Amino acid sequence: MAIEIIATGRAIPAKRLTNHDLASRLDTTDEWIRSHTGIGARHIAEEGVAASDLALEAAWNALAMAAEQRGVTKETLVQSLDLIILGSTSPDYYGVPSTACIVQDKLGVRNAAALDICAACSGFIYGLELAAGFLALNASRKRALVIGAEILSRIADWNDRGTAVLFGDGAGAVLIEQTEPSGGGRRGLLRSMLRADGSGAESLIIRQGGSRNPYHGTGDERPPRVEMDGRAVYNFAVKALIGTIETLLAGENLTIHDVARIIPHQANARIVQAAAKRLKIPESKFFLNIEEYANTSAASIPIALDELNRAGGLQPGDLIMTIGFGGGLTYGGNLIVW
Ligand code: COA
């Protein structure tokens, strides 16, 4: 039995905000943002568009890809879903209902479980492992959608140049399937590593709006917005990248030469460059599209997978590694034979 990614999809809002656009309303420059992060632009959802809307578009795109491969309609395929799992830091609603349930309803899926997971920028790598485990537990469960969807522009503090420049909106989805052994070697998800370090919770936090600090919208309360200790998160992220690569490789007795591509969470190109330098891995092994999309949290890895996949950058049999890290703190990765 294998759990394979059989299709990918993404949804990117058309509205594009460049660093120059931001510099006209914040005390920042294109030069600062590029040199400190590698970001050149971000895409911003129109008013009225929620995370579930982008998630739905990405999901249909993945379903359409799979349907075309199988010679069936995507409406038929959608009814074979057993699970929809969605990672988001900017869900449609806080707490209830889950954004996954909204997607389930709009897809018209009748017999699937649906839930959100809160693992910030590690949402996709957590979701993939959890969905794979859900399928593997029962041979009658065949397919699941794993989605990362974010409208971070709604929770960014647009007065804080230290965070506002970092984030963008978007969604990515993968369709995974439980497949029978084919005798052709190992396929699909080989191994994941999922870790958490809640001692770092304060370094990336939306302080208001939960049961700890309910938001009443009165007085001098701050509205729910992302707050970040950039330096602490940077140091954590570099260590998380290095540790995840080393642990995943050691677990399968592999070297970095066996890995065709590393798809890291797109938080900051400098984080990737620092980890690559420490591990003596060519930077070209890491796929980066942060220049165009900025940090889309849980969506960044499935967006990158879809972009690579549709550009022919992932060949059957390629060993790829996804790595996530972010609020919680959470981190980890997946090792996948494409
Ligand atoms: N434009 C211009 N100047 C800026 C700026 C901006 N957008 N943001 C911060 N600065 C300024 C600061 O005010 C500070 O000025 P000062 O020296 O006069 O006080 C200076 O730049 C250095 O700030 P600092 O925060 O030390 O910069 P940095 O080199 O640590 O870079 C980050 C800041 C946010 C880019 C970096 O810490 C980072 O990438 N951290 C990880 C963030 C992340 O990836 N989060 C998501 C994880 S999933």
Side-chain angles (χ1 to χ4, degrees), residues 187-250:
R187 289 174 300 138
L189 182 61
L190 294 189
R191 163 183 298 266
S192 297
M193 169 189 143
L194 306 181
R195 297 279 194 278
D197 177 9
S199 72
E202 290 274 325
S203 55
L204 191 45
I205 190 165
I206 300 174
R207 222 170 272 285
Q208 305 282 359
S211 54
R212 176 72 59 199
N213 298 306
Y215 180 63
H216 304 292
T218 54
D220 49 9
E221 283 177 304
R222 280 165 63 81
R225 291 285 179 257
V226 174
E227 293 171 43
M228 184 178 70
D229 177 346
R231 195 50 68 90
V233 174
Y234 182 95
N235 292 336
F236 149 75
V238 174
K239 274 196 219 133
L241 256 178
I242 293 170
T244 303
I245 293 171
E246 289 178 337
T247 304
L248 284 174
L249 290 177

Short mmCIF file of all heavy atoms in Angstrom, two decimals, residues 187-250:
data_model
loop_
_atom_site.label_atom_id
_atom_site.label_comp_id
_atom_site.label_asym_id
_atom_site.label_seq_id
_atom_site.Cartn_x
_atom_site.Cartn_y
_atom_site.Cartn_z
N ARG A 187 6.87 4.10 -3.42
CA ARG A 187 6.23 5.25 -4.03
C ARG A 187 5.50 6.06 -2.96
O ARG A 187 5.18 5.56 -1.90
CB ARG A 187 5.20 4.79 -5.08
CG ARG A 187 5.83 4.21 -6.33
CD ARG A 187 4.75 3.66 -7.24
NE ARG A 187 4.01 2.59 -6.55
CZ ARG A 187 2.69 2.45 -6.60
NH1 ARG A 187 1.96 3.30 -7.27
NH2 ARG A 187 2.10 1.45 -5.97
N GLY A 188 5.20 7.29 -3.31
CA GLY A 188 4.38 8.12 -2.43
C GLY A 188 5.10 8.60 -1.20
O GLY A 188 6.32 8.77 -1.18
N LEU A 189 4.30 8.83 -0.14
CA LEU A 189 4.84 9.38 1.10
C LEU A 189 5.65 8.32 1.84
O LEU A 189 5.12 7.31 2.28
CB LEU A 189 3.67 9.85 1.98
CG LEU A 189 4.03 10.51 3.30
CD1 LEU A 189 4.86 11.78 3.10
CD2 LEU A 189 2.76 10.84 4.09
N LEU A 190 6.97 8.54 1.93
CA LEU A 190 7.84 7.56 2.59
C LEU A 190 7.87 7.75 4.09
O LEU A 190 7.89 6.82 4.86
CB LEU A 190 9.29 7.72 2.11
CG LEU A 190 9.64 7.41 0.67
CD1 LEU A 190 11.15 7.42 0.50
CD2 LEU A 190 9.06 6.08 0.25
N ARG A 191 7.95 9.01 4.49
CA ARG A 191 8.17 9.29 5.91
C ARG A 191 7.90 10.77 6.17
O ARG A 191 8.14 11.60 5.30
CB ARG A 191 9.64 8.98 6.22
CG ARG A 191 10.22 9.55 7.48
CD ARG A 191 11.69 9.20 7.59
NE ARG A 191 11.89 7.77 7.67
CZ ARG A 191 12.01 7.08 8.81
NH1 ARG A 191 11.97 7.70 9.96
NH2 ARG A 191 12.19 5.78 8.80
N SER A 192 7.41 11.06 7.35
CA SER A 192 7.27 12.46 7.76
C SER A 192 7.92 12.64 9.11
O SER A 192 8.09 11.68 9.87
CB SER A 192 5.79 12.86 7.88
OG SER A 192 5.14 12.78 6.63
N MET A 193 8.26 13.87 9.38
CA MET A 193 8.71 14.23 10.73
C MET A 193 7.86 15.43 11.14
O MET A 193 7.79 16.41 10.41
CB MET A 193 10.19 14.62 10.66
CG MET A 193 10.70 15.25 11.93
SD MET A 193 12.36 15.91 11.66
CE MET A 193 12.23 17.38 12.67
N LEU A 194 7.19 15.32 12.25
CA LEU A 194 6.36 16.43 12.75
C LEU A 194 6.81 16.77 14.16
O LEU A 194 6.90 15.88 15.01
CB LEU A 194 4.87 16.05 12.77
CG LEU A 194 4.25 15.53 11.48
CD1 LEU A 194 2.76 15.24 11.69
CD2 LEU A 194 4.42 16.51 10.33
N ARG A 195 7.09 18.03 14.41
CA ARG A 195 7.56 18.43 15.75
C ARG A 195 6.87 19.72 16.19
O ARG A 195 6.42 20.51 15.36
CB ARG A 195 9.07 18.70 15.73
CG ARG A 195 9.92 17.50 15.38
CD ARG A 195 10.13 16.59 16.60
NE ARG A 195 11.19 15.65 16.33
CZ ARG A 195 11.06 14.52 15.64
NH1 ARG A 195 9.88 14.19 15.16
NH2 ARG A 195 12.09 13.73 15.43
N ALA A 196 6.86 19.92 17.50
CA ALA A 196 6.31 21.16 18.05
C ALA A 196 7.18 21.62 19.21
O ALA A 196 7.79 20.79 19.91
CB ALA A 196 4.88 20.94 18.54
N ASP A 197 7.26 22.92 19.39
CA ASP A 197 7.96 23.50 20.53
C ASP A 197 7.15 24.70 21.03
O ASP A 197 7.41 25.84 20.67
CB ASP A 197 9.37 23.93 20.11
CG ASP A 197 10.11 24.62 21.26
OD1 ASP A 197 9.57 24.60 22.41
OD2 ASP A 197 11.19 25.17 21.03
N GLY A 198 6.16 24.37 21.86
CA GLY A 198 5.24 25.41 22.35
C GLY A 198 5.91 26.44 23.25
O GLY A 198 5.31 27.49 23.53
N SER A 199 7.16 26.17 23.66
CA SER A 199 7.84 27.18 24.49
C SER A 199 8.10 28.45 23.69
O SER A 199 8.35 29.51 24.25
CB SER A 199 9.16 26.62 25.05
OG SER A 199 10.11 26.51 24.01
N GLY A 200 8.01 28.32 22.34
CA GLY A 200 8.23 29.51 21.50
C GLY A 200 6.91 30.14 21.05
O GLY A 200 6.90 30.95 20.12
N ALA A 201 5.82 29.79 21.71
CA ALA A 201 4.49 30.24 21.27
C ALA A 201 4.41 31.76 21.13
O ALA A 201 3.78 32.28 20.20
CB ALA A 201 3.42 29.76 22.25
N GLU A 202 5.04 32.47 22.05
CA GLU A 202 4.90 33.94 22.07
C GLU A 202 5.61 34.62 20.89
O GLU A 202 5.35 35.79 20.62
CB GLU A 202 5.51 34.50 23.37
CG GLU A 202 4.70 34.15 24.61
CD GLU A 202 3.58 35.15 24.87
OE1 GLU A 202 3.78 36.35 24.59
OE2 GLU A 202 2.51 34.72 25.33
N SER A 203 6.52 33.91 20.23
CA SER A 203 7.30 34.60 19.21
C SER A 203 6.54 34.79 17.89
O SER A 203 6.98 35.54 17.03
CB SER A 203 8.65 33.92 18.98
OG SER A 203 8.46 32.59 18.67
N LEU A 204 5.42 34.11 17.73
CA LEU A 204 4.58 34.31 16.53
C LEU A 204 3.15 34.09 16.99
O LEU A 204 2.74 32.94 17.23
CB LEU A 204 4.99 33.32 15.43
CG LEU A 204 4.44 33.50 14.03
CD1 LEU A 204 4.49 34.93 13.56
CD2 LEU A 204 5.22 32.63 13.06
N ILE A 205 2.40 35.17 17.14
CA ILE A 205 1.14 35.03 17.88
C ILE A 205 0.09 36.04 17.40
O ILE A 205 0.44 37.16 16.99
CB ILE A 205 1.43 35.20 19.41
CG1 ILE A 205 0.21 34.84 20.27
CG2 ILE A 205 1.93 36.62 19.74
CD1 ILE A 205 0.55 34.65 21.75
N ILE A 206 -1.17 35.61 17.40
CA ILE A 206 -2.30 36.54 17.25
C ILE A 206 -2.91 36.60 18.65
O ILE A 206 -3.58 35.67 19.09
CB ILE A 206 -3.32 36.03 16.21
CG1 ILE A 206 -2.63 35.89 14.85
CG2 ILE A 206 -4.51 36.98 16.12
CD1 ILE A 206 -3.48 35.26 13.77
N ARG A 207 -2.61 37.68 19.34
CA ARG A 207 -2.87 37.72 20.78
C ARG A 207 -4.36 37.85 21.12
O ARG A 207 -4.84 37.28 22.09
CB ARG A 207 -2.10 38.91 21.37
CG ARG A 207 -1.43 38.60 22.67
CD ARG A 207 -0.51 39.74 23.07
NE ARG A 207 0.81 39.58 22.51
CZ ARG A 207 1.71 38.71 22.95
NH1 ARG A 207 1.43 37.92 23.97
NH2 ARG A 207 2.90 38.62 22.38
N GLN A 208 -5.07 38.63 20.31
CA GLN A 208 -6.47 38.92 20.64
C GLN A 208 -7.42 38.00 19.90
O GLN A 208 -7.11 37.50 18.83
CB GLN A 208 -6.81 40.37 20.24
CG GLN A 208 -5.91 41.42 20.83
CD GLN A 208 -6.24 41.72 22.28
OE1 GLN A 208 -7.16 41.15 22.85
NE2 GLN A 208 -5.49 42.61 22.90
N GLY A 209 -8.59 37.80 20.47
CA GLY A 209 -9.65 37.11 19.73
C GLY A 209 -9.97 35.73 20.25
O GLY A 209 -11.03 35.18 19.94
N GLY A 210 -9.08 35.13 21.04
CA GLY A 210 -9.35 33.80 21.58
C GLY A 210 -9.86 33.90 23.01
O GLY A 210 -10.17 34.98 23.51
N SER A 211 -9.92 32.76 23.72
CA SER A 211 -10.47 32.76 25.08
C SER A 211 -9.50 33.40 26.08
O SER A 211 -9.90 33.83 27.16
CB SER A 211 -10.83 31.34 25.51
OG SER A 211 -9.72 30.49 25.37
N ARG A 212 -8.21 33.48 25.73
CA ARG A 212 -7.25 34.13 26.62
C ARG A 212 -7.46 35.65 26.66
O ARG A 212 -7.44 36.26 27.72
CB ARG A 212 -5.82 33.81 26.14
CG ARG A 212 -4.68 34.47 26.88
CD ARG A 212 -4.46 33.91 28.26
NE ARG A 212 -4.18 32.48 28.25
CZ ARG A 212 -4.31 31.70 29.33
NH1 ARG A 212 -4.71 32.20 30.47
NH2 ARG A 212 -4.04 30.42 29.24
N ASN A 213 -7.65 36.23 25.48
CA ASN A 213 -7.86 37.68 25.36
C ASN A 213 -9.01 37.94 24.41
O ASN A 213 -8.79 38.28 23.24
CB ASN A 213 -6.61 38.37 24.79
CG ASN A 213 -5.40 38.21 25.67
OD1 ASN A 213 -5.43 38.53 26.84
ND2 ASN A 213 -4.32 37.71 25.08
N PRO A 214 -10.25 37.76 24.86
CA PRO A 214 -11.37 37.98 23.92
C PRO A 214 -11.32 39.39 23.35
O PRO A 214 -10.94 40.33 24.05
CB PRO A 214 -12.61 37.79 24.80
CG PRO A 214 -12.13 37.09 26.03
CD PRO A 214 -10.69 37.44 26.22
N TYR A 215 -11.69 39.48 22.11
CA TYR A 215 -11.68 40.80 21.46
C TYR A 215 -13.09 41.39 21.50
O TYR A 215 -14.02 40.80 20.96
CB TYR A 215 -11.19 40.67 20.01
CG TYR A 215 -11.17 42.00 19.29
CD1 TYR A 215 -10.34 43.03 19.72
CD2 TYR A 215 -11.99 42.23 18.19
CE1 TYR A 215 -10.32 44.25 19.08
CE2 TYR A 215 -11.97 43.45 17.53
CZ TYR A 215 -11.14 44.46 17.98
OH TYR A 215 -11.13 45.67 17.35
N HIS A 216 -13.22 42.52 22.14
CA HIS A 216 -14.55 43.13 22.27
C HIS A 216 -14.74 44.29 21.30
O HIS A 216 -15.84 44.79 21.15
CB HIS A 216 -14.75 43.64 23.70
CG HIS A 216 -14.55 42.57 24.74
ND1 HIS A 216 -15.42 41.50 24.87
CD2 HIS A 216 -13.58 42.36 25.66
CE1 HIS A 216 -14.99 40.70 25.84
NE2 HIS A 216 -13.87 41.19 26.33
N GLY A 217 -13.62 44.73 20.70
CA GLY A 217 -13.73 45.81 19.72
C GLY A 217 -14.02 47.16 20.37
O GLY A 217 -14.55 48.06 19.72
N THR A 218 -13.70 47.27 21.65
CA THR A 218 -13.98 48.54 22.33
C THR A 218 -12.70 49.03 23.00
O THR A 218 -11.72 48.31 23.10
CB THR A 218 -15.04 48.37 23.43
OG1 THR A 218 -14.59 47.31 24.29
CG2 THR A 218 -16.39 48.03 22.85
N GLY A 219 -12.71 50.24 23.48
CA GLY A 219 -11.59 50.77 24.26
C GLY A 219 -10.33 50.82 23.44
O GLY A 219 -10.35 51.02 22.22
N ASP A 220 -9.18 50.59 24.10
CA ASP A 220 -7.92 50.70 23.38
C ASP A 220 -7.31 49.33 23.09
O ASP A 220 -6.10 49.17 22.95
CB ASP A 220 -6.93 51.59 24.16
CG ASP A 220 -6.84 51.19 25.62
OD1 ASP A 220 -7.41 50.13 25.96
OD2 ASP A 220 -6.21 51.93 26.39
N GLU A 221 -8.16 48.31 22.98
CA GLU A 221 -7.67 46.98 22.60
C GLU A 221 -7.08 47.02 21.20
O GLU A 221 -7.58 47.76 20.34
CB GLU A 221 -8.83 46.00 22.48
CG GLU A 221 -9.41 45.48 23.74
CD GLU A 221 -10.58 44.59 23.38
OE1 GLU A 221 -11.51 45.07 22.70
OE2 GLU A 221 -10.54 43.43 23.77
N ARG A 222 -6.09 46.17 20.97
CA ARG A 222 -5.61 46.01 19.59
C ARG A 222 -6.47 44.93 18.92
O ARG A 222 -6.78 43.94 19.55
CB ARG A 222 -4.16 45.52 19.60
CG ARG A 222 -3.14 46.62 19.85
CD ARG A 222 -1.79 46.03 20.21
NE ARG A 222 -1.23 45.23 19.11
CZ ARG A 222 -0.60 45.74 18.07
NH1 ARG A 222 -0.45 47.05 17.98
NH2 ARG A 222 -0.10 44.98 17.13
N PRO A 223 -6.86 45.13 17.66
CA PRO A 223 -7.61 44.06 16.99
C PRO A 223 -6.71 42.85 16.75
O PRO A 223 -5.48 42.97 16.83
CB PRO A 223 -8.03 44.70 15.67
CG PRO A 223 -7.12 45.84 15.47
CD PRO A 223 -6.65 46.29 16.82
N PRO A 224 -7.29 41.67 16.49
CA PRO A 224 -6.46 40.49 16.25
C PRO A 224 -5.51 40.70 15.06
O PRO A 224 -5.97 40.94 13.94
CB PRO A 224 -7.49 39.39 15.94
CG PRO A 224 -8.76 39.88 16.55
CD PRO A 224 -8.72 41.37 16.44
N ARG A 225 -4.22 40.67 15.32
CA ARG A 225 -3.20 40.88 14.28
C ARG A 225 -1.99 40.02 14.61
O ARG A 225 -1.69 39.79 15.78
CB ARG A 225 -2.74 42.34 14.26
CG ARG A 225 -3.78 43.33 13.78
CD ARG A 225 -3.94 43.25 12.27
NE ARG A 225 -4.94 44.16 11.77
CZ ARG A 225 -6.18 43.79 11.40
NH1 ARG A 225 -6.56 42.55 11.50
NH2 ARG A 225 -7.03 44.66 10.91
N VAL A 226 -1.27 39.62 13.55
CA VAL A 226 -0.05 38.83 13.77
C VAL A 226 1.02 39.69 14.42
O VAL A 226 1.30 40.80 13.94
CB VAL A 226 0.49 38.30 12.43
CG1 VAL A 226 1.84 37.61 12.63
CG2 VAL A 226 -0.49 37.36 11.78
N GLU A 227 1.61 39.17 15.49
CA GLU A 227 2.77 39.82 16.11
C GLU A 227 3.92 38.83 16.04
O GLU A 227 3.72 37.63 16.26
CB GLU A 227 2.49 40.16 17.58
CG GLU A 227 1.43 41.22 17.77
CD GLU A 227 1.04 41.34 19.23
OE1 GLU A 227 1.94 41.34 20.10
OE2 GLU A 227 -0.16 41.42 19.50
N MET A 228 5.11 39.33 15.78
CA MET A 228 6.23 38.41 15.59
C MET A 228 7.53 38.97 16.12
O MET A 228 7.81 40.16 15.95
CB MET A 228 6.38 38.14 14.09
CG MET A 228 7.44 37.13 13.75
SD MET A 228 7.51 36.84 11.99
CE MET A 228 8.16 38.39 11.43
N ASP A 229 8.29 38.12 16.77
CA ASP A 229 9.67 38.45 17.12
C ASP A 229 10.53 37.90 15.97
O ASP A 229 10.91 36.73 15.96
CB ASP A 229 10.03 37.78 18.46
CG ASP A 229 11.48 38.02 18.85
OD1 ASP A 229 12.27 38.45 17.99
OD2 ASP A 229 11.82 37.75 20.01
N GLY A 230 10.77 38.77 14.98
CA GLY A 230 11.39 38.34 13.73
C GLY A 230 12.72 37.63 13.92
O GLY A 230 12.97 36.59 13.30
N ARG A 231 13.55 38.16 14.78
CA ARG A 231 14.88 37.57 14.98
C ARG A 231 14.78 36.16 15.58
O ARG A 231 15.44 35.21 15.14
CB ARG A 231 15.71 38.50 15.87
CG ARG A 231 17.18 38.25 15.90
CD ARG A 231 17.80 38.12 14.53
NE ARG A 231 17.84 39.33 13.73
CZ ARG A 231 18.83 40.21 13.73
NH1 ARG A 231 19.87 40.03 14.50
NH2 ARG A 231 18.80 41.26 12.94
N ALA A 232 13.89 36.01 16.59
CA ALA A 232 13.72 34.70 17.24
C ALA A 232 13.17 33.68 16.24
O ALA A 232 13.63 32.53 16.18
CB ALA A 232 12.77 34.82 18.44
N VAL A 233 12.21 34.11 15.42
CA VAL A 233 11.61 33.19 14.45
C VAL A 233 12.65 32.81 13.38
O VAL A 233 12.72 31.66 12.95
CB VAL A 233 10.34 33.80 13.80
CG1 VAL A 233 9.82 32.92 12.70
CG2 VAL A 233 9.27 34.02 14.86
N TYR A 234 13.45 33.78 13.00
CA TYR A 234 14.49 33.52 12.00
C TYR A 234 15.46 32.44 12.51
O TYR A 234 15.75 31.46 11.81
CB TYR A 234 15.25 34.82 11.72
CG TYR A 234 16.32 34.70 10.67
CD1 TYR A 234 16.06 35.03 9.35
CD2 TYR A 234 17.60 34.25 11.00
CE1 TYR A 234 17.03 34.91 8.37
CE2 TYR A 234 18.58 34.13 10.03
CZ TYR A 234 18.30 34.47 8.73
OH TYR A 234 19.27 34.34 7.77
N ASN A 235 15.93 32.62 13.73
CA ASN A 235 16.89 31.64 14.28
C ASN A 235 16.26 30.26 14.41
O ASN A 235 16.88 29.25 14.07
CB ASN A 235 17.41 32.12 15.64
CG ASN A 235 18.27 33.36 15.50
OD1 ASN A 235 18.84 33.62 14.43
ND2 ASN A 235 18.36 34.16 16.55
N PHE A 236 15.01 30.23 14.88
CA PHE A 236 14.30 28.95 14.99
C PHE A 236 14.16 28.30 13.61
O PHE A 236 14.38 27.10 13.44
CB PHE A 236 12.91 29.19 15.61
CG PHE A 236 11.85 28.22 15.15
CD1 PHE A 236 11.83 26.91 15.61
CD2 PHE A 236 10.88 28.61 14.23
CE1 PHE A 236 10.86 26.02 15.17
CE2 PHE A 236 9.92 27.73 13.78
CZ PHE A 236 9.91 26.43 14.25
N ALA A 237 13.79 29.11 12.60
CA ALA A 237 13.51 28.56 11.27
C ALA A 237 14.76 27.94 10.64
O ALA A 237 14.68 26.86 10.03
CB ALA A 237 12.95 29.66 10.37
N VAL A 238 15.90 28.60 10.80
CA VAL A 238 17.13 28.05 10.22
C VAL A 238 17.44 26.69 10.87
O VAL A 238 17.72 25.70 10.20
CB VAL A 238 18.32 29.03 10.39
CG1 VAL A 238 19.62 28.39 9.92
CG2 VAL A 238 18.06 30.32 9.61
N LYS A 239 17.31 26.64 12.21
CA LYS A 239 17.58 25.38 12.92
C LYS A 239 16.56 24.31 12.52
O LYS A 239 16.91 23.13 12.35
CB LYS A 239 17.47 25.61 14.44
CG LYS A 239 18.75 26.10 15.05
CD LYS A 239 18.70 25.94 16.56
CE LYS A 239 19.36 27.15 17.20
NZ LYS A 239 18.66 27.77 18.28
N ALA A 240 15.29 24.70 12.36
CA ALA A 240 14.24 23.74 12.01
C ALA A 240 14.51 23.14 10.63
O ALA A 240 14.37 21.93 10.42
CB ALA A 240 12.87 24.43 12.03
N LEU A 241 14.93 23.99 9.68
CA LEU A 241 15.23 23.50 8.33
C LEU A 241 16.37 22.49 8.37
O LEU A 241 16.27 21.39 7.80
CB LEU A 241 15.66 24.68 7.45
CG LEU A 241 14.68 25.24 6.43
CD1 LEU A 241 15.29 26.41 5.71
CD2 LEU A 241 14.29 24.18 5.42
N ILE A 242 17.42 22.87 9.06
CA ILE A 242 18.60 21.99 9.11
C ILE A 242 18.24 20.67 9.80
O ILE A 242 18.53 19.58 9.29
CB ILE A 242 19.76 22.70 9.85
CG1 ILE A 242 20.24 23.89 9.01
CG2 ILE A 242 20.91 21.74 10.14
CD1 ILE A 242 21.22 24.81 9.73
N GLY A 243 17.58 20.77 10.95
CA GLY A 243 17.23 19.56 11.72
C GLY A 243 16.30 18.64 10.96
O GLY A 243 16.43 17.41 11.00
N THR A 244 15.35 19.23 10.23
CA THR A 244 14.39 18.40 9.49
C THR A 244 15.09 17.67 8.35
O THR A 244 14.86 16.47 8.14
CB THR A 244 13.24 19.28 8.95
OG1 THR A 244 12.63 19.95 10.06
CG2 THR A 244 12.21 18.45 8.23
N ILE A 245 15.94 18.36 7.62
CA ILE A 245 16.65 17.71 6.51
C ILE A 245 17.49 16.56 7.06
O ILE A 245 17.43 15.43 6.55
CB ILE A 245 17.54 18.73 5.76
CG1 ILE A 245 16.67 19.75 5.04
CG2 ILE A 245 18.47 18.02 4.76
CD1 ILE A 245 17.42 20.94 4.44
N GLU A 246 18.24 16.83 8.11
CA GLU A 246 19.13 15.79 8.66
C GLU A 246 18.33 14.60 9.17
O GLU A 246 18.68 13.44 8.92
CB GLU A 246 19.99 16.38 9.78
CG GLU A 246 21.05 17.33 9.24
CD GLU A 246 21.88 17.99 10.34
OE1 GLU A 246 21.42 18.08 11.50
OE2 GLU A 246 22.99 18.44 10.02
N THR A 247 17.23 14.86 9.88
CA THR A 247 16.46 13.77 10.48
C THR A 247 15.76 12.93 9.41
O THR A 247 15.76 11.69 9.48
CB THR A 247 15.41 14.34 11.46
OG1 THR A 247 16.10 15.14 12.42
CG2 THR A 247 14.64 13.25 12.17
N LEU A 248 15.17 13.58 8.41
CA LEU A 248 14.48 12.82 7.37
C LEU A 248 15.46 11.96 6.58
O LEU A 248 15.18 10.80 6.27
CB LEU A 248 13.72 13.76 6.42
CG LEU A 248 12.41 14.34 6.96
CD1 LEU A 248 11.83 15.36 5.98
CD2 LEU A 248 11.37 13.24 7.23
N LEU A 249 16.61 12.51 6.26
CA LEU A 249 17.60 11.73 5.49
C LEU A 249 18.10 10.55 6.32
O LEU A 249 18.17 9.42 5.83
CB LEU A 249 18.79 12.62 5.09
CG LEU A 249 18.50 13.68 4.01
CD1 LEU A 249 19.74 14.54 3.76
CD2 LEU A 249 18.03 13.04 2.71
N ALA A 250 18.43 10.82 7.59
CA ALA A 250 18.97 9.74 8.44
C ALA A 250 17.94 8.63 8.61
O ALA A 250 18.28 7.43 8.60
CB ALA A 250 19.37 10.31 9.80
#
